[in-house]
Amino acid sequence: MAGNRCEPLFAFWPKIPECKKRLGSLPNNRLEGKKMKVLVVNAGSSSMKFTLFSMGKEQVLAKGLFERLGTDKPNLIYKRADGAKFEGVIPVKNHVDALKAICEKLIDPEIGVIKKMSEIEAFGHRVVHGGERATRPVLVSSDVKEI
């Protein structure tokens, strides 16, 4: 079940040392500050796509793809909005390690687009199919995790 595979990603996110804000602690009007950054991932069985958005500027800051997860040569493709790019094999064991490597690239002094992970105020995960009970976008809650 997709929810079970993704559970470690949700468990990992709040544990990033610099990430102090959580979705539940944001103001009701989340776009009010015009600087909100949102990291969205789409974790597949052997890949992970990601995009970091700046909501105030309505632009993509960085995006990419980890492919061949679970093999001996997982490959990361990372692209900044200005065209700068990194591509290479990074030895990660699973999706959680892949997310950590993505976060490291986002804050890397040479290729990153943010200085620290706390700049990201929200995290989204695309779920391909929510069954009959999740027929529209929803916030992940304990009830949603049970679907």
Side-chain angles (χ1 to χ4, degrees), residues 71-91:
T71 71
D72 59 344
K73 293 188 179 183
N75 189 58
L76 174 62
I77 301 167
Y78 172 92
K79 297 177 187 176
R80 286 191 322 209
D82 66 3
K85 180 179 177 180
F86 167 87
E87 183 171 356
V89 173
I90 298 181

Side-chain angles (χ1 to χ4, degrees), residues 51-62 81:
T51 305
L52 179 63
F53 295 96
S54 174
M55 302 307 290
K57 296 177 183 177
E58 296 184 4
Q59 74 179 55
V60 172
L61 299 175

Side-chain angles (χ1 to χ4, degrees), residues 127-139:
V127 177
V128 175
H129 194 288
E132 294 176 8
R133 293 178 53 203
T135 58
R136 59 180 175 69
V138 296
L139 290 175

Side-chain angles (χ1 to χ4, degrees), residues 11-60:
F12 163 71
W13 185 251
K15 294 178 185 174
I16 295 174
E18 297 143 301
C19 185
K20 296 190 172 41
K21 293 184 180 181
R22 302 229 183 8
L23 185 58
S25 66
L26 295 174
N28 288 337
N29 184 352
R30 292 178 174 91
L31 299 179
E32 189 174 311
K34 302 283 187 191
K35 294 182 181 180
M36 182 182 203
K37 293 180 180 84
V38 179
L39 178 62
V40 179
V41 300
N42 178 357
S45 60
S46 63
S47 67
M48 181 181 292
K49 296 176 185 174
F50 65 93
T51 305
L52 179 63
F53 295 96
S54 174
M55 302 307 290
K57 296 177 183 177
E58 296 184 4
Q59 74 179 55
V60 172

